[in-house]
Amino acid sequence: MQAETRVFSDREELARAAARRWLDIYRESVARHGAFYVALAGGSTPRRLYRILACPDISAAVEWQRVHFFFGDERAVPPDHPESNFGMARETLLEHVPVPEGNVHRMETELRGMDAVASRYESLLTDIVPAGGEGIPQLDLILLGIGPDGHTASLFPGTDILQQTGRYVAPVYVEQKACWRVSVTLPVIEEARHVLFLVAGEEKQPVVKQLLTDPGGAPVYPVQMPHYRGSVELYLDAAAAGPELSTEQALQT
Ligand code: 6PG
């Protein structure tokens, strides 16, 4: 996986740099086609980034009516559940900025029938997001995290969704978490114009080491499986990067 890698001293510096990059890509996208189609990541690392984007000085620079929010994945819980990725984004960002409600597209995973939930979300993606090559919805930016097992979105090791190329959104039962999730599939990640990974914490070091030491090698982890066609950037804090990488060391891996 070829990625432009940057290492930051801590989570705060990582989040601030990610906010600057988010704004860069927002501006590029609006200049290109008058809108910004962005998929948010779940988990804990993006929280600080979302809070920074909601700050008045940054928020005032964004024409929120041009922004369409999607989600890379969602857990099978209601939107007000502590585990909800949508709920986390709403609490940290969405309820603090004037983005039209109709521009926030969450996965309705509280409903029964994960397959139907995934199919409806796929229709939403293809209806709203302009298609890139081969008719695949082309997000301007997809924010992603990486788990200690090398998963990204809900593409976990050993799950069937890793072979799912006929659908853009699919349900997945994650044994490791004993729960259902709905996630975008590899084609959507591959098609995104920009992919920005936010990775923090010492527990991520083994995965990061693999990504950086063998970028062209055969995939070991799900995050290495997509044939990324857009730009790929990896933002690390020092804890995830490990002692070999100095902070603010821009590497082309
Ligand atoms: C989720 C995310 C998942 C997350 C990674 C990293 O729903 O949990 O989609 O892929 O990004 O597990 O999570 P942290 O940011 O909490 O380390």
Side-chain angles (χ1 to χ4, degrees):
M1 174 180 120
Q2 304 292 337
E4 184 175 333
T5 302
R6 295 182 67 188
V7 182
F8 301 94
S9 50
D10 56 30
R11 287 171 181 260
E12 180 65 20
E13 289 310 309
L14 185 157
R16 289 173 186 273
R20 290 191 292 270
R21 190 68 184 120
W22 192 96
L23 275 177
D24 288 344
I25 297 170
Y26 154 78
R27 291 187 180 112
E28 172 200 290
S29 306
V30 167
R32 177 198 300 267
H33 51 196
F36 181 39
Y37 301 101
V38 53
L40 298 180
S44 58
T45 306
R47 293 182 71 97
R48 184 63 189 131
L49 162 62
Y50 299 163
R51 289 196 186 282
I52 292 172
L53 291 175
C55 290
D57 57 328
I58 294 210
S59 175
V62 177
E63 291 179 273
W64 292 100
Q65 75 281 9
R66 293 182 184 276
V67 183
H68 278 268
F69 284 108
F70 295 88
F71 290 82
D73 70 332
E74 186 58 275
R75 295 85 179 271
V77 293
D80 50 2
H81 188 282
E83 284 290 304
S84 167
N85 288 336
F86 164 78
M88 182 272 281
R90 178 177 55 187
E91 176 210 332
T92 54
L93 172 58
L94 301 176
E95 65 188 14
H96 303 288
V97 296
V99 59
E101 203 171 316
N103 286 22
V104 179
H105 312 289
R106 71 177 184 87
M107 296 173 169
E108 297 172 311
T109 49
E110 74 279 12
L111 302 178
R112 295 179 64 77
M114 286 296 114
D115 207 64
V117 168
S119 297
R120 275 200 300 279
Y121 203 73
E122 177 169 316
S123 300
L124 201 63
L125 261 182
T126 52
D127 287 350
I128 296 171
V129 181
E134 297 154 35
I136 303 169
Q138 185 171 47
L139 291 161
D140 293 308
L141 170 63
I142 183 165
L143 290 172
L144 290 169
I146 302 177
D149 59 0
H151 78 264
T152 193
S154 283
L155 307 178
F156 282 80
T159 55
D160 296 347
I161 195 171
L162 293 172
Q163 278 69 45
Q164 181 59 267
T165 53
R167 297 177 73 172
Y168 302 145
V169 183
V172 53
Y173 183 73
V174 184
E175 294 283 351
Q176 301 91 317
K177 306 268 184 181
C179 77
W180 279 95
R181 293 188 172 200
V182 170
S183 176
V184 294
T185 57
L186 292 179
V188 172
I189 296 174
E190 292 173 338
E191 192 66 26
R193 288 184 198 282
H194 299 283
V195 180
L196 177 56
F197 287 101
L198 309 179
V199 185
E202 200 169 359
E203 72 279 8
K204 310 292 176 78
Q205 271 189 38
V207 180
V208 168
K209 192 173 177 68
Q210 162 64 28
L211 296 184
L212 298 187
T213 51
D214 187 11
V220 172
Y221 297 112
V223 66
Q224 296 171 295
M225 289 179 64
H227 299 290
Y228 298 92
R229 288 190 283 276
S231 78
V232 182
E233 296 168 87
L234 184 61
Y235 280 18
L236 307 171
D237 72 349
E244 302 86 55
L245 291 179
S246 59
T247 55
E248 257 313 315
Q249 180 178 338
L251 306 168
Q252 184 69 29
T253 54

